[in-house]
Every structure is written in structure tokens, then in C-alpha cells.
Amino acid sequence: MPSRKKTSMFASAFCACVSSFVVICVVLATPQWVSSEVRFSRTGSNVTVSLKYGLFRGTCEQFVDPGLQVSQTTFQVADALSSATSRGLNVATIVVLVLALLGSLLSSGFTCTNAVSNPYQTFLGPIGVYTWNSACGVLILTAMILFPVNVEGNRLSQELAYGCSTSQQTHLGSTHKYGYSYWIMLLVIFLNIASLTIIYFYDHARYSKRKEQERPIENAPRDVILF
């Protein structure tokens, strides 16, 4: 059975890993990734398409100057995308988040195992926790880079707005504001760092204790050692 100190520290790391898993689920499920306003001009008036969407679904509204709302619709992001590049980056972001979800799940399993037992395999110990937590953090950071690249570089909001608008118009400009579904991914990174820090302190304390136990033998007189 593991010591009380080991159980408490790995249990704390387990809570951080489970929280990370839950947050990633929220990130995937909610559509509040970005809010965009895409402005168009057409004969006699200007049209503003207001979008709120995530990786899977979103809503759009049309406003005709001076503020008359024309329509509000719900759309599926995958169905509204016509560009292969935009669709590919959107799928890549989803895949990266699913892999991060798997890494977070494995981290939870490893920390739970160490909290209740002393596994013989080295990889099932702190090394495994380091590996999967680091992988999860890197994947989350990758997702946080891919999505803005798709929005800003591939003009994702403009492409979705064209699908929502009633007619083709001249694009005037776009503004974007990233929502909580995007920013709470930072919380996942912080939780991974917290879990890594807890396990590092445990591993460092165990290593120091082992060295202290070996030091009396190293410093003992030669004749005592021979005896």
C-alpha cells in the first residue's frame, strides 16, 4: 500500500486531471468559441451578420441598417464550410482536442492508480503522469493556435457569414471576439501544470529521502563496513 503522503499528493493530482478532463468536454460541447460581426454593403443599405459559433454549431443574425433584424438561424459549421482549408483546420482542431481528452483521461487513470497502489512498472508511476500531462498541455496549446489561424487567416467567419446571408454582397470588414469556450482552455493548461508540479515535488522528496538513507553507509568507516 502507498504511504499516506503519496496517496494525498497523487489524489490531489488526480483531482486536477479529472478537472482538466471535464473542462475539455465543456470546450468541445459549447459553441461560444468566437463572436464575429461581418459587415457587407449592398445597394441602398449595409448588412451586418452577427455570428456566434464553435467547432460544431453556431447561430447567425442579420441586421440591416439602421438596426433592423432580418433573420436568425442555426447552422452546422461542417455543412456551412465550402473551403477545404477551413474545413481541414476545423477537423484538425477537433482531432487535437479529442487527443488531449484522451491524454487527460490517461493522466487521471495513472494518478488514481498511484494513489491506491504502488505499480511495479516504471512508466505507470510519475514518468507516465509527466508524459500524459505534458502531451495534454501541448495539444491544448496547439488547438489554441489552430483555431485563431482558421478564423483570422482563412476568414472562417466571413465564409460562414456568406452562407447565412440572403444574397451575395461586398465585404467591408470583420471583428472577432473570442468567447469563454476558447479561453477556458488556458485553465486546462494551468491544471496540467498543477498536476505536474504536485508529482514533481513528491518525486523530488522521495529522491532526497533515498539519498539521505544511502549517505550513512557512504560515510561509514571502512573497517565498520568490512565488519
Side-chain angles (χ1 to χ4, degrees):
M1 293 295 293
S3 64
R4 183 175 299 179
K5 180 178 180 181
K6 179 183 179 182
T7 299
S8 61
M9 297 193 77
F10 272 94
S12 300
F14 171 74
C15 292
C17 293
V18 170
S19 299
S20 173
F21 179 84
V22 172
V23 172
I24 297 174
C25 290
V26 172
V27 167
L28 284 167
T30 54
Q32 304 297 328
W33 277 66
V34 65
S35 300
S36 300
E37 289 191 355
V38 186
R39 297 179 299 278
F40 298 98
S41 67
R42 65 183 183 184
T43 305
S45 63
N46 292 332
V47 177
T48 300
V49 179
S50 179
L51 299 162
K52 292 182 181 179
Y53 61 92
L55 298 174
F56 298 101
R57 66 186 187 277
T59 59
C60 65
E61 299 175 277
Q62 288 189 72
F63 298 92
V64 179
D65 289 345
L68 176 64
Q69 182 178 349
V70 176
S71 64
Q72 179 177 0
T73 58
T74 302
F75 62 90
Q76 299 296 319
V77 174
D79 296 336
L81 293 177
S82 57
S83 170
T85 304
S86 299
R87 188 184 299 111
L89 273 179
N90 191 66
V91 171
T93 305
I94 295 172
V95 171
V96 166
L97 284 174
V98 170
L99 291 175
L101 191 68
L102 178 62
S104 182
L105 181 62
L106 288 171
S107 297
S108 302
F110 277 39
T111 50
C112 181
T113 300
N114 281 270
V116 298
S117 65
N118 293 314
Y120 293 105
Q121 293 86 352
T122 304
F123 188 73
L124 293 178
I127 294 177
V129 180
Y130 292 149
T131 301
W132 293 115
N133 270 279
S134 300
C136 180
V138 170
L139 289 168
I140 290 296
L141 186 60
T142 303
M144 294 190 71
I145 294 172
L146 287 177
F147 187 74
V149 167
N150 205 12
V151 173
E152 307 286 347
N154 293 328
R155 299 180 180 179
L156 180 61
S157 295
Q158 182 179 340
E159 185 175 347
L160 293 173
Y162 273 118
C164 291
S165 60
T166 55
S167 60
Q168 296 294 325
Q169 302 118 355
T170 303
H171 178 246
L172 296 177
S174 305
T175 58
H176 312 289
K177 183 179 179 181
Y178 295 94
Y180 71 86
S181 299
Y182 176 81
W183 291 115
I184 60 174
M185 286 192 287
L186 290 173
L187 179 59
V188 178
I189 296 176
F190 292 146
L191 288 169
N192 286 322
I193 293 174
S195 180
L196 287 172
T197 302
I198 292 170
I199 302 306
Y200 170 78
F201 278 117
Y202 164 75
D203 207 21
H204 181 72
R206 186 181 62 170
Y207 177 78
S208 300
K209 184 178 180 180
R210 186 185 305 148
K211 284 298 183 181
E212 289 177 0
Q213 291 174 348
E214 294 174 355
R215 190 172 297 118
I217 298 177
E218 295 174 354
N219 297 334
R222 185 182 300 273
D223 55 348
V224 174
I225 295 176
L226 291 175
F227 177 77

